[in-house]
Amino acid sequence: MALYLGLDSSTQSLTGIVLEVEGDSTRVVFESSLAFDEAFPEYGTRHGVLPRSDPAVAVSSPPLWADALDAMMARVSHSGLDVGRLAAIAGSAQQHGSVYMNSRGGPSALSRLDPGLPPGEQVVHALSRPVAPIWMDSSTSTECAELAEGVGGAEALAQRTGSRAFERFTGPQIRKFFKDDPRTYAATDRIHLVSSFLASLLAGRHAPIDPGDGSGMNLMDLATSDWWPAALEATAPGLRAKLPAVAPAWTVAGSLSPYWQARHGLPAAKVVVWSGDNPCSLIGTGLVRTGLVAISLGTSDTIFGLMREPRVDRTGTGHVFGAPTGAYMGLTCFANGSLARERVRDSFGLSWPGFSQTLAATPPGNGGRVLLPWYVPEITPPVAAPGVRRYDLAIDDGPGHVRGVVEGQQMSLALHSRWMDTGIETILATGGAAANREILQVMADVFGAEVFQLEVGNSACLGAALRARQDLIPRRSSPVFGRGRGLPDV
Ligand code: XUL
């Protein structure tokens, strides 16, 4: 009975899921999560982001992610499972974030970490840039324009890479770093995504990037699943030599390095290439056929579905990513997800049950009261200056805000996923807030669709565990939320 470990390094937390596989049966035998802010207060993050004065800038800490990985491996090792049966590990990570390593971060340094010490303090020396810009960063509008112009325009960039230039995408972020600090850029040996950085730490050597996460960079040619020379040139000099290779999501990057074996008594399990949280979630929700979509309600809210052929969004808000199945996925991302829901909940002094009761007690359509919940700069639609917009909604109207935030988010999801042209009849809901039945009822009402809740809440982590098995098992879900009539004007 082999064990497979999936890890999900998200914006705010790290989750681990172990699957036990015996014949045709697959069981979740371990599930554990740790929140970065609480588990590692010494790093000073808030909701997984380092303190910032400019709302457009969002960076986090690679050593924190490394230490969280260490803490999770300790939990797995002390879980009571016979970890000698651990056959493979794969992972999922927040997309777009980049980690800058110097020549001391080379393969030999990665494989020679001291098992007596935690990894965070050791990887510090291997970083040319101490912090990593993450997907919440919206400070690169100038670089987006420069990149688009450098490759012959926004349309050309979208056709080749699957997306027009987006501020959080890794290419514009790398260009900004190169412009702001050319010397440190020159001293950077390797630029990893969060996913490939963590896979490299586990394998003790540089791991490749998979096409799913690679297509969140504005640098990869979707058709060839390789770096697009024109985009590399328009981004920064000598970039090709600094990037890992692109390799299919089922590639084995190596085996668990001696560091983890000695530190936690784990075997030399296979380390399968990591991917982004959204591509992994595609697997974890079982979205391996077209016609279904998933909505993930996490720090970011996303809507995504499988595509056989890449169909680029002409409205410019959506993306086409590579899917871990080898096909494609369409995705639209919204920055004001759970943090916006939390802000409303906190400003009216509610608990989550209180939030749900309020939602259940207010009428669909909110009596015409509308809230556009842009507490942080919004990705879809692009809103650079954060701020809540209220229409016919009094500032002290708690119930109106509760329904307003959820309806505003769901209507935005419905409106900005029309480009996928999938005729949404069935939605699989995942992410932390998908546990909230009242939110899912609003989803069913707004989309006029059936909504399913998944058995395992963290579909990105489950997808990673299934990928560790190098297998794609669709999961059935329960229960169904009634098909609503749909709201007007969606
Ligand atoms: C997707 C995106 C977010 C992050 C959050 O494009 O930016 O969903 O992956 O983890």
Side-chain angles (χ1 to χ4, degrees), residues 96 169-172 174 193 209 213-219 227 243:
H96 316 294
F169 275 41
T170 325
I174 293 174
L193 291 180
I209 287 177
D213 227 7
S215 35
M217 300 172 81
N218 279 139
L219 297 177
W227 304 123
L243 291 174

Side-chain angles (χ1 to χ4, degrees), residues 207-212 220 225-227 244-253 273-274:
I209 287 177
D210 92 302
M220 196 192 84
S225 285
D226 199 357
W227 304 123
V246 183
W250 50 84
T251 307
V252 174
V273 164
W274 285 39

Side-chain angles (χ1 to χ4, degrees), residues 6 23 28 47 49 54 88 92 126 167 226 230 236 244 256 258 267 290 306 320 326 343 351 374 382 385 445:
V28 174
H47 300 297
V49 185
D54 180 352
S92 144
E167 280 76 1
D226 199 357
L256 194 62
T290 48
L306 191 78
V320 182
R343 286 283 277 273
S351 59
W374 297 322
D445 291 344

Side-chain angles (χ1 to χ4, degrees), residues 96 154-166 168-169 211-212 214-223 228 231 307 309-322 328-332 419:
H96 316 294
E155 180 86 16
L157 187 65
Q159 286 296 342
R160 267 310 170 122
T161 69
S163 303
R164 68 167 173 82
F166 277 84
R168 70 191 191 287
F169 275 41
S215 35
M217 300 172 81
N218 279 139
L219 297 177
M220 196 192 84
D221 185 336
L222 262 188
W228 181 28
M307 283 179 169
E309 301 293 333
R311 187 176 44 242
V312 170
D313 173 17
R314 300 219 166 266
T315 70
T317 51
H319 317 298
V320 182
F321 291 162
Y328 301 93
M329 62 186 285
L331 175 138
T332 307
W419 70 273

Side-chain angles (χ1 to χ4, degrees), residues 9-11 93-96 135-136 168-169 213 216 276-279 299-302 319 321 331-334 379:
S9 182
S10 74
T11 316
Q94 56 171 312
Q95 297 201 251
H96 316 294
W135 68 275
M136 293 169 99
R168 70 191 191 287
F169 275 41
D213 227 7
D277 51 359
N278 294 294
T299 306
S300 62
D301 286 350
T302 56
H319 317 298
F321 291 162
L331 175 138
T332 307
C333 177
F334 303 80
I379 294 166

Side-chain angles (χ1 to χ4, degrees), residues 179-437:
K179 282 168 56 189
D180 288 353
D181 192 351
R183 282 165 69 106
T184 316
Y185 172 79
T188 299
D189 229 50
R190 189 55 51 116
I191 303 176
H192 274 295
L193 291 180
V194 184
S195 57
S196 60
F197 167 66
L198 293 171
S200 304
L201 266 186
L202 288 181
R205 59 203 274 201
H206 287 305
I209 287 177
D210 92 302
D213 227 7
S215 35
M217 300 172 81
N218 279 139
L219 297 177
M220 196 192 84
D221 185 336
L222 262 188
T224 61
S225 285
D226 199 357
W227 304 123
W228 181 28
L232 299 186
E233 248 163 66
T235 299
L239 182 53
R240 183 165 208 131
K242 298 182 196 290
L243 291 174
V246 183
W250 50 84
T251 307
V252 174
S255 47
L256 194 62
S257 80
Y259 173 79
W260 302 98
Q261 296 182 41
R263 191 162 165 80
H264 297 299
L266 296 168
K270 281 190 278 187
V271 177
V272 175
V273 164
W274 285 39
S275 185
D277 51 359
N278 294 294
C280 286
S281 208
L282 188 88
I283 302 301
T285 50
L287 278 188
V288 289
R289 65 177 172 87
T290 48
L292 291 170
V293 295
I295 293 181
S296 169
L297 302 174
T299 306
S300 62
D301 286 350
T302 56
I303 178 162
F304 52 87
L306 191 78
M307 283 179 169
R308 296 272 169 240
E309 301 293 333
R311 187 176 44 242
V312 170
D313 173 17
R314 300 219 166 266
T315 70
T317 51
H319 317 298
V320 182
F321 291 162
T325 55
Y328 301 93
M329 62 186 285
L331 175 138
T332 307
C333 177
F334 303 80
N336 284 276
S338 61
L339 296 185
R341 290 182 285 273
E342 262 169 53
R343 286 283 277 273
V344 169
R345 183 201 63 172
D346 294 346
S347 47
F348 293 99
L350 296 167
S351 59
W352 282 124
F355 184 95
S356 300
Q357 279 158 18
T358 309
L359 203 48
T362 43
N366 212 13
R369 294 167 293 183
V370 173
L371 175 70
L372 301 180
W374 297 322
Y375 290 89
V376 294
E378 182 49 66
I379 294 166
T380 313
V383 179
V388 173
R389 277 67 158 174
R390 297 179 181 84
Y391 302 90
D392 290 332
L393 177 63
I395 197 152
D396 58 352
D397 175 354
H401 277 74
V402 168
R403 183 160 278 276
V405 67
V406 178
E407 285 191 351
Q409 291 175 326
Q410 293 302 320
M411 285 198 272
S412 207
L413 279 157
L415 187 62
H416 295 288
S417 55
R418 283 181 168 174
W419 70 273
M420 287 186 217
D421 201 19
T422 42
I424 300 169
E425 300 231 313
T426 304
I427 299 170
L428 307 182
T430 178
N436 186 316
R437 299 176 63 90

